[in-house]
Amino acid sequence: PIASRLSRITVPVHLLVGDKRLTSAPSAAQVSMLQAHVKQFSIDTLHPGGTMLHEERAPDVARAIIGLVRGVR
């Protein structure tokens, strides 16, 4: 199972999700699993946003990536 492998992740994981609850979005159980097993896990919600944030909110996604690389949240 994937849960047993998540603790091997040694890099920061920053999950960006949209505020629209769609069936293709990560479930609460999936997010909880990441929170429980990934040492450096963070999550932010973009308002408004769906599941295609890289298309819907490209500048915000780019800023989040740059901030993660620079170590800024």
Side-chain angles (χ1 to χ4, degrees):
I2 192 169
S4 65
R5 296 182 177 177
L6 291 174
S7 63
R8 295 182 186 171
I9 298 173
T10 59
V11 297
V13 174
H14 186 99
L15 179 63
L16 292 175
V17 295
D19 62 343
K20 295 177 187 165
R21 291 287 131 217
L22 303 169
T23 57
S24 55
S27 69
Q30 291 169 324
V31 173
S32 292
M33 182 173 49
L34 290 169
Q35 289 171 321
H37 298 287
V38 177
K39 291 176 182 79
Q40 299 179 70
F41 178 77
S42 59
I43 184 169
D44 281 320
T45 303
L46 295 180
H47 307 275
T51 57
M52 303 296 283
L53 293 175
H54 61 289
E55 294 179 5
E56 301 166 20
R57 306 283 302 273
D60 296 315
V61 171
R63 274 192 291 280
I65 292 169
I66 291 167
L68 185 62
V69 169
R70 291 182 179 162
V72 176
R73 282 216 58 243

